[in-house]
Amino acid sequence: MIAADGNLVIVVGRVSYMLSNISSSGNTSATLLDSGNLVLNDRRSGDILWQSFDYPTDTLLPGMKVFTLVPEMAMNYFYSSIYVSNEKESYYTCSMKNPLVTVRFVLDISGQLQVLTRDEMMGEWDMLWAQPWAQCDVYAYCGAFGTCNQRATLFCQCFPSFQPNSVGSWNAGNMSGRCVRKAPLQCGNDSVANGQKYLELIFCPVFIKINFDKKNW
């Protein structure tokens, strides 16, 4: 809804979330464009006072501003990358070569950037491009004490004697929450505990030999 001061507000029950923070006469209107951009206009002048494309979340749409460019995205048969630089800002944006294709860029919860296209007949989103392409190349995809195997049915596995910290998140596909020990360490016991052995580390001193030439004294 639009508040009395002209700002765009989302109201959920008794809680209000202000999307825009503008100074206006209160005579504004909101329009959702075909591009997916939600625009707040001044009714009198028609000027854009606020737009959602300036505040991206985990999803990017053609026409939005990106302030850095992944090198692999520069050459593509489906969309064109455009670099804009002026006194106010510098950014990249892209446009589809075929305007009939619906596409979106998504930063997955694992940290993988994906380009998805809409299959209208099947009603599904198909992955067109991703970076890193291999899921196991995504930083900390399996979390601490986890291993990643791209050839396995389940990419992530915990180390022996470890288990997922959150089974619910793990089953939902978010495996970055780390693995934890099934049983606590028995640090005061030198014997084998719960099938775990402990390695004693011995630190050796390092000796450095220095030769002095008395002639240079």
Side-chain angles (χ1 to χ4, degrees):
M1 61 173 290
I2 297 179
D5 60 357
N7 279 289
L8 195 61
V9 179
I10 295 179
V11 179
V12 181
R14 297 182 179 181
V15 181
S16 299
Y17 302 92
M18 182 176 292
L19 295 182
S20 61
N21 186 16
I22 60 171
S23 298
S24 69
S25 60
N27 191 10
T28 59
S29 63
T31 305
L32 181 61
L33 305 181
D34 292 338
S35 62
N37 191 14
L38 180 60
V39 178
L40 187 65
N41 295 94
D42 187 306
R43 287 181 180 270
R44 297 176 181 176
S45 63
D47 295 337
I48 296 178
L49 304 177
W50 179 92
Q51 57 181 349
S52 61
F53 270 22
D54 289 339
Y55 302 90
T57 55
D58 63 339
T59 300
L60 300 175
L61 299 176
M64 297 183 74
K65 300 175 182 179
V66 182
F67 293 94
T68 184
L69 183 67
V70 179
E72 291 83 356
M73 295 176 61
M75 298 297 294
N76 195 283
Y77 296 104
F78 299 94
Y79 53 85
S80 301
S81 298
I82 304 170
Y83 177 68
V84 178
S85 179
N86 52 48
E87 296 180 354
K88 296 182 179 180
E89 57 186 349
S90 297
Y91 62 90
Y92 288 92
T93 185
C94 70
S95 61
M96 298 303 300
K97 295 181 179 180
N98 184 355
L100 300 179
V101 176
T102 303
V103 67
R104 63 188 177 117
F105 299 77
V106 178
L107 183 61
D108 187 70
I109 191 173
S110 66
Q112 185 183 49
L113 181 62
Q114 303 173 352
V115 178
L116 306 176
T117 57
R118 181 70 175 176
D119 187 337
E120 299 296 345
M121 295 184 62
M122 300 298 296
E124 299 176 348
W125 289 93
D126 298 327
M127 185 184 298
L128 177 65
W129 176 91
Q131 185 63 28
W133 179 254
Q135 194 72 59
C136 289
D137 289 340
V138 177
Y139 176 74
Y141 177 68
C142 297
F145 305 109
T147 61
C148 190
N149 183 358
Q150 195 74 26
R151 298 181 180 180
T153 304
L154 295 177
F155 292 163
C156 293
Q157 296 290 336
C158 291
F159 288 168
S161 300
F162 285 76
Q163 63 186 4
N165 184 45
S166 173
V167 178
S169 298
W170 191 279
N171 293 335
N174 180 13
M175 305 174 186
S176 61
R178 73 190 178 93
C179 298
V180 295
R181 294 184 181 275
K182 295 180 179 179
L185 287 174
Q186 304 294 329
C187 296
N189 190 352
D190 294 334
S191 62
V192 178
N194 299 317
Q196 301 174 0
K197 296 182 179 180
Y198 305 99
L199 178 65
E200 181 180 358
L201 299 179
I202 301 176
F203 295 92
C204 300
V206 178
F207 298 96
I208 301 176
K209 183 178 180 181
I210 302 176
N211 293 323
F212 293 96
D213 189 354
K214 294 183 179 181
K215 295 180 180 180
N216 296 328
W217 288 12

